[in-house]
């Protein structure tokens, strides 16, 4: 397989996470709790971190929210959850960071939206104040420009300049250019204020797939800042998953992007962790990173009128994900494992042999036997009513025997053990 060559970018340290500079692409997420409710926010951050989110952004929009950030950080640390927290600021962030230094210290990164940061006044310059606070506490910033909250003065200025050109560009093109100009001008201003270049991450988010691709292609060609990718609002369900995959896969294939977030609208009462899983699966199916064992399962056809293979595939997939926090702590490389759950004799044996572990279930009219293949060799044939339980046990046994154990001194081990204990 041809290895995707990443674009050169600045390396940025966010808490205990490294992004950019060729480091593995980082998956992040955002809470939707009221940050002033520390208990709910801690619970959701913890869940997102367990799902594999490597950075978690929280809203800091009120004095009450800012006052709780330090408490949230300390409670997460007590649970053994060291995931870095990113503060999302709009409108009043300069005052909140000034008035709540405990919040400024506890956050690993500040997110600043140039369109919402507020206008400079005689008494205060909000952007300058936020950058100076970041410098004071040695925190990186993400300068995040959004299509829906773009600085209108900048847009008007660029539209006027465009109208005077011999061949003016269309309005959409000018707006894309304004997004990029806002990000780059803000980054340059931050550097002039004394911020190091390797403390700056840029994003230019829109909700349209083709616009996002066009914006990031242009942005990446004009700078070497670390870049954060994601649609502003991806949408709900399959639409959000497909739109995010379509946009990010093109950019990632071109080596563009250092960290991603999948901005899914959760289903009513749905879990927030779905956006983490989608982000991981985009990277893993592209061969860029590995997070959890992948399950290959056939789609079913007229040969597979039983739903048993579907139930087994879902059961195994859920089992693998639920075990990963513990396995990741105990074993090296288990995230690279592949499992196949196939529904009939046509592709079943072949796909099963290609996986680390595979089971070929009987299709309609086939002999009621399910051969299991381990590393390409037939190991056992399962029969009866306990196939699902027996196959799950085979998977667990394979993990324990195949993958080397981590040492007890591993930081990841101690963190994951703490999470497991706290979750029981």
């Amino acid at each position: 397989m041809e290895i995707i060559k990443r674009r050169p970018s600045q390396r940025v340290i966010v808490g205990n996470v490294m992004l950019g500079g060729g480091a593995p692409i980082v998956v992040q997420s955002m809470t939707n709790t009221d940050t002033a409710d520390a208990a709910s926010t801690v619970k959701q951050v913890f869940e997102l971190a367990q799902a594999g989110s490597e950075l978690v952004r929280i809203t800091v929009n009120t004095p009450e929210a800012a006052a709780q950030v330090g408490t949230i950080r300390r409670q997460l640390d007590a649970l053994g959850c060291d995931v870095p927290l990113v503060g999302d600021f709009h409108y009043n962030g300069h005052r909140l960071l000034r008035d709540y230094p405990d919040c400024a210290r506890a956050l690993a990164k500040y997110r600043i939206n140039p369109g919402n940061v507020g206008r400079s006044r005689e008494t205060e310059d909000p952007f300058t104040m936020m950058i100076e606070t970041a410098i004071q506490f040695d925190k990186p910033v993400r300068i995040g420009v959004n299509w829906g909250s773009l600085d209108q003065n900048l847009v008007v200025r660029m539209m006027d300049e465009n109208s005077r050109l011999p061949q003016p560009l269309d309005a959409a093109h000018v707006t894309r250019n304004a997004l990029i100009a806002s990000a780059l001008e803000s980054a340059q201003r931050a550097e002039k204020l004394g911020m190091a270049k390797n403390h700056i991450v840029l994003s230019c988010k829109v909700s349209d797939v083709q616009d996002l691709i066009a914006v990031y292609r242009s942005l990446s060609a004009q700078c070497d800042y670390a870049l954060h990718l994601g649609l502003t609002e991806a949408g709900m369900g399959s639409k959000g998953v497909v739109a995010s995959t379509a946009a990010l896969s093109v950019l990632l294939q071109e080596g563009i992007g250092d960290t991603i977030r999948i901005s899914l609208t959760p289903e009513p009462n749905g879990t927030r962790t779905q956006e983490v899983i989608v982000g991981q699966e985009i990277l893993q199916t592209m061969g860029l990173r590995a997070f959890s064992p992948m399950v290959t399962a056939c789609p079913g056809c007229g040969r597979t009128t039983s739903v048993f293979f579907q139930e087994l595939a879902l059961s195994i997939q859920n089992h693998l994900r639920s075990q990963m926090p513990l396995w990741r702590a105990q074993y090296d490389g288990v995230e690279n494992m592949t499992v196949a759950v196939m529904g009939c004799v046509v592709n079943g044996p072949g796909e099963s042999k290609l996986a680390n572990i595979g089971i070929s279930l009987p299709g309609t009219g086939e002999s009621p036997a399910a051969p299991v293949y381990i590393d390409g060799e037939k190991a056992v044939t399962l029969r009866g009513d306990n196939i699902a339980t027996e196959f799950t046990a085979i998977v667990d046994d394979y993990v324990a025997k195949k993958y080397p154990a981590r040492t007890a001194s591993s930081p990841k081990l101690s963190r994951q053990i703490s999470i497991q204990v706290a979750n029981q």
Side-chain angles (χ1 to χ4, degrees):
M1 182 184 74
E2 183 180 354
I3 297 175
I4 297 171
K5 185 177 181 180
R6 300 274 299 283
R7 110 194 212 287
S9 64
Q10 296 289 322
R11 180 167 291 185
V12 182
I13 306 298
V14 183
N16 58 6
V17 172
M18 186 164 15
L19 60 89
I25 298 165
V26 172
V27 175
Q28 58 180 281
S29 59
M30 185 174 183
T31 59
N32 60 358
T33 58
D34 180 356
T35 307
D37 182 350
S40 294
T41 303
V42 168
K43 180 176 183 293
Q44 192 171 85
V45 170
F46 187 90
E47 291 170 351
L48 290 166
Q50 266 210 308
S53 184
E54 294 158 302
L55 296 174
V56 177
R57 184 157 45 112
I58 61 176
T59 298
V60 187
N61 58 335
T62 64
E64 293 77 14
Q68 291 300 317
V69 172
T71 298
I72 292 166
R73 176 71 275 165
R74 288 185 287 274
Q75 289 184 7
L76 288 168
D77 289 341
L79 291 172
C81 180
D82 58 1
V83 65
L85 297 177
V86 179
D88 192 63
F89 294 100
H90 299 269
Y91 309 112
N92 60 352
H94 57 298
R95 293 174 183 164
L96 296 176
L97 288 170
R98 177 196 65 194
D99 296 342
Y100 295 90
D102 192 34
C103 168
R105 278 189 292 267
L107 295 170
K109 185 174 69 170
Y110 310 154
R111 188 281 176 119
I112 304 172
N113 183 340
N116 289 342
V117 75
R119 308 237 173 264
S120 299
R121 309 173 187 85
E122 290 184 6
T123 56
E124 59 184 22
D125 178 351
F127 183 85
T128 296
M129 290 172 66
M130 294 188 75
I131 295 299
E132 288 178 344
T133 302
I135 294 171
Q136 176 188 350
F137 290 100
D138 194 27
K139 307 292 184 179
V141 299
R142 171 161 71 92
I143 297 174
V145 184
N146 281 357
W147 190 285
S149 54
L150 190 54
D151 183 346
Q152 290 306 300
N153 288 338
L154 175 63
V155 175
V156 170
R157 186 193 85 198
M158 295 187 67
M159 288 289 186
D160 288 342
E161 292 171 353
N162 180 66
S163 67
R164 293 192 289 270
L165 294 176
Q167 293 182 317
L169 303 171
D170 61 65
H173 199 130
V174 177
T175 305
R176 290 197 296 266
N177 288 344
L179 280 166
I180 297 167
S182 178
L184 293 176
E185 289 176 10
S186 297
Q188 291 159 8
R189 185 178 171 197
E191 285 194 64
K192 288 179 181 177
L193 290 168
M195 174 154 281
K197 193 169 188 178
N198 64 0
H199 274 46
I200 298 172
V201 181
L202 296 186
S203 67
C204 289
K205 289 190 174 184
V206 299
S207 296
D208 180 83
V209 169
Q210 294 295 348
D211 283 322
L212 190 83
I213 293 170
V215 165
Y216 274 93
R217 280 175 172 166
S218 181
L219 177 63
S220 67
Q222 296 182 52
C223 72
D224 65 349
Y225 295 108
L227 299 182
H228 168 77
L229 303 185
L231 293 166
T232 305
E233 297 94 12
M236 181 180 285
S238 61
K239 185 271 178 184
V241 174
V242 170
S244 296
T245 304
L248 269 58
S249 295
V250 171
L251 293 169
L252 293 169
Q253 185 68 25
E254 295 177 4
I256 299 170
D258 301 293
T259 175
I260 65 172
R261 191 238 168 157
I262 311 301
S263 299
L264 295 179
T265 303
E267 302 286 349
N269 301 316
T271 175
R272 192 72 169 177
T273 58
Q274 184 63 22
E275 66 176 59
V276 179
I277 294 170
V278 172
Q280 291 177 333
E281 289 182 346
I282 289 173
L283 295 178
Q284 187 153 351
T285 54
M286 292 186 69
L288 293 170
R289 286 192 68 181
F291 297 92
S292 180
M294 298 290 282
V295 177
T296 300
C298 74
C301 67
R303 292 176 177 270
T304 57
T305 54
S306 169
V307 297
F308 181 70
F309 80 94
Q310 298 165 308
E311 294 169 348
L312 179 57
L314 180 61
S315 173
I316 286 295
Q317 185 165 280
N318 290 339
H319 178 72
L320 295 174
R321 284 208 165 272
S322 68
Q323 289 296 104
M324 269 311 294
L326 185 61
W327 284 349
R328 192 181 295 116
Q330 291 181 326
Y331 305 110
D332 275 319
V334 67
E335 64 275 5
N336 295 300
M337 182 173 67
T338 56
V339 178
V341 178
M342 305 303 293
C344 80
V345 74
V346 174
N347 290 324
E351 288 281 2
S352 297
K353 291 177 183 178
L354 291 173
N356 293 117
I357 308 175
I359 185 169
S360 180
L361 296 164
T364 305
E366 293 178 15
S367 174
V372 175
Y373 298 83
I374 297 178
D375 290 331
E377 300 294 331
K378 184 177 176 181
V380 66
T381 298
L382 304 181
R383 294 180 173 85
D385 298 329
N386 295 315
I387 288 178
T389 301
E390 293 172 4
F391 184 63
T392 302
I394 290 171
V395 171
D396 290 343
D397 183 65
Y398 180 86
V399 170
K401 293 178 178 178
K402 175 75 174 182
Y403 297 98
R406 291 186 183 274
T407 61
S409 60
S410 166
K412 184 177 286 187
L413 175 62
S414 62
R415 172 175 180 256
Q416 293 295 340
I417 287 176
S418 298
I419 291 176
Q420 286 294 314
V421 171
N423 208 30
Q424 292 174 356

